[in-house]
Amino acid sequence: AQSVTQLDSQVPVFEEAPVELRCNYSSSVSVYLFWYVQYPNQGLQLLLKYLSGSTLVKGINGFEAEFNKSQTSFHLRKPSVHISDTAEYFCAVSGNRDDKIIFGKGTRLHILP
Amino acid sequence: KAGVTQTPRYLIKTRGQQVTLSCSPISGHRSVSWYQQTPGQGLQFLFEYFSETQRNKGNFPGRFSGRQFSNSRSEMNVSTLELGDSALYLCASSLEGRPWDEQFFGPGTRLTVL
C-alpha cells in the first residue's frame, strides 16, 4: 500500500527567503509523484509532477522538486517566496497498479513580512 | 475551456437529513473523483467514476454514494447526515483517470451539518 507523509503541518518563512516543504512516500511499486497547491477558498491546482526521467522537476510559480528514490522523498523548494505563495501544499503519490492517488495531510506555508 | 464546477458552493443541513452535491467536469474528461477535506484528516478519497461506472472506492460508509451520467457529470449523495460529515467536498476530473493524469479540482462544496 502507498502512503505519503508531509513532515511539517505548518512552515513559517520570511518573504524573499528560500523554503523547502518535505514529503516522504512509501510504495512497493513505481510511483508517480505530485505537488498540488490550494489557495484560500479554492480547489487544488497542480504545481508539478514527476513521472519518469530527470529527478529534478520544475513547476509553475518558480517551484521545483527533487525525486530521491533512495530516500523515498520528493521535497518541494522555492529559492525566494512571495506573500502570494501563502497557501496549503499537498504532496501526492499514485502507482501503476492502483489508480487511486493518495494525498498527504498538507503543509501550510505562512509568509512573514 | 471552462474549469470544474461544483454546486452548490455552500450548504447547511441538520443531522439525519440527506444531501446531493453536483460536479461538472472539464469538457472531454471522463474520470471524476470525489474527496472529503477536513482540517484533521486532510484529503480523503471517496470514489472515482469513469464512463458511468464506479472504478475505485475509498473507506467510507455506505451512506456516501455517487453516480456519473453519460455526459460525465457526477453527483454524490450523503444520507442520514452526521455532525462529522461537515467538510469541504472536492470534485476532480481528469482525462482518463490514469495514475499519471493531472487532476483538475473544482472549488468545492462546503457542507455544514448542525
Side-chain angles (χ1 to χ4, degrees), chain B residues 23-39:
Chain B
C23 171
S24 293
I26 289 173
S27 177
H29 285 193
R30 298 166 66 190
S31 168
V32 174
S33 297
W34 287 89
Y35 297 87
Q36 182 193 66
Q37 185 179 16
T38 56

Side-chain angles (χ1 to χ4, degrees), chain B:
Chain B
K1 198 180 236 189
V4 178
T5 58
Q6 291 187 245
T7 56
R9 291 292 311 277
Y10 301 92
L11 210 45
I12 299 175
K13 293 285 187 179
T14 56
R15 278 180 298 173
Q17 287 186 307
Q18 77 164 26
V19 66
T20 299
L21 313 182
S22 181
C23 171
S24 293
I26 289 173
S27 177
H29 285 193
R30 298 166 66 190
S31 168
V32 174
S33 297
W34 287 89
Y35 297 87
Q36 182 193 66
Q37 185 179 16
T38 56
Q41 298 299 319
L43 269 85
Q44 292 189 285
F45 173 77
L46 281 155
F47 28 65
E48 185 228 354
Y49 285 87
F50 180 81
S51 291
E52 302 178 66
T53 300
Q54 187 181 88
R55 192 161 64 172
N56 245 314
K57 190 177 189 305
N59 296 323
F60 278 81
R63 300 185 297 107
F64 291 81
S65 63
R67 59 179 175 167
Q68 186 180 34
F69 302 95
S70 58
N71 62 357
S72 293
R73 191 177 70 84
S74 177
E75 289 181 347
M76 69 163 277
N77 185 277
V78 187
S79 62
T80 319
L81 284 166
E82 301 177 0
L83 294 178
D85 296 333
S86 294
L88 180 68
Y89 290 88
L90 292 165
C91 162
S93 74
S94 66
L95 277 169
E96 302 282 337
R98 295 162 299 192
W100 54 86
D101 282 344
E102 176 182 355
Q103 294 199 46
F104 293 81
F105 284 79
T109 295
R110 172 82 56 189
L111 172 64
T112 303
V113 182
L114 303 175

Side-chain angles (χ1 to χ4, degrees), chain A residues 37-78:
Chain A
V37 60
Q38 185 178 31
Y39 298 106
N41 299 315
Q42 293 185 30
L44 279 70
Q45 174 186 355
L46 182 70
L47 270 179
L48 48 80
K49 63 182 175 181
Y50 171 80
L51 303 184
S52 65
S54 173
T55 57
L56 184 63
V57 181
K58 293 191 183 296
I60 61 172
N61 301 340
F63 284 93
E64 64 181 32
E66 185 154 19
F67 170 58
N68 188 318
K69 189 174 182 180
S70 62
Q71 300 198 359
T72 59
S73 68
F74 190 55
H75 300 333
L76 181 70
R77 300 184 184 103
K78 186 169 182 178

